[in-house]
Amino acid sequence: MSNRTFTMIKPDAVKAGNIGNILQMMNAAGFKIVAMKYTKISLEQAGKFYEVHKERPFYGELTEFMSSGPIVAAILEKENAVADFRKLIGATNPAQAEEGTIRKLYATSVGENAVHGSDSDENAKIEGDFFFSGLERF
Ligand code: GDP
């Protein structure tokens, strides 16, 4: 089991001024920041990042949303990082997210749901490598 996961604070949460609140929740839950950047991805890059969802009906909406404004991308470290972080962010749809989760507090819809969290160790590595070089990890 790997001890790292990958996250993004999505354009909706950045626009709403929630970067600080969300980073605070990550730190308070015991996640250490290994790499972090404030950036904006193109529609093409969003398409590549979410390639696994290419056949899903929401692919166009998702890639347009994710390239619509700046995001914060980060690699986080903690024991059991992937599973524990999925618990901290809550269900994809904020209406189904548990109280106290990041999405319950800050997501507005199933699409604009404030944060991304990798769903497996394998994807955490692929997604972290998409955004960060070896020199950008500490
Ligand atoms: P996650 O692992 O909880 O992020 O959820 P998924 O892997 O199923 O979906 C990836 C992302 O696609 C979600 O976080 C949402 O931003 C978006 N998404 C999922 N379902 C829908 C949907 O029905 N409509 C829209 N517009 N976006 C969706």
Side-chain angles (χ1 to χ4, degrees):
M1 188 187 300
S2 156
N3 60 352
R4 288 187 176 189
T5 191
F6 172 79
T7 186
M8 290 181 283
I9 301 177
K10 296 186 179 185
D12 59 323
V14 171
K15 266 189 211 117
N18 288 323
I19 294 175
N21 292 333
I22 291 173
L23 290 177
Q24 161 64 22
M25 285 181 76
M26 293 176 187
N27 280 149
F31 291 89
K32 182 189 149 202
I33 294 163
V34 173
M36 182 159 76
K37 63 174 70 164
Y38 186 57
T39 186
K40 185 170 181 289
I41 55 174
S42 67
L43 183 62
E44 192 188 4
Q45 287 167 325
K48 189 158 189 294
F49 185 89
Y50 282 108
E51 201 145 30
V52 291
H53 293 310
K54 205 169 186 145
E55 304 307 322
R56 311 277 283 274
F58 56 81
Y59 180 72
E61 238 173 72
L62 171 61
T63 53
E64 266 168 41
F65 165 58
M66 288 304 295
S67 58
S68 69
I71 59 162
V72 175
I75 298 173
L76 303 176
E77 190 171 81
K78 181 186 181 294
E79 206 178 292
N80 200 32
V82 167
D84 285 1
F85 192 69
R86 297 283 296 187
K87 245 182 256 164
L88 177 67
I89 68 176
T92 309
N93 184 343
Q96 283 147 22
E98 278 184 44
E99 289 297 331
T101 60
I102 295 176
R103 282 170 169 167
K104 181 73 179 183
L105 285 164
Y106 300 116
T108 49
S109 69
V110 67
E112 305 207 354
N113 59 3
V115 278
H116 168 84
S118 305
D119 64 4
S120 66
D121 288 346
E122 191 196 359
N123 284 337
K125 163 121 185 48
I126 293 169
E127 292 169 1
D129 289 347
F130 186 92
F131 279 90
F132 298 101
S133 73
L135 289 171
E136 297 171 311
R137 300 168 198 224
F138 306 98

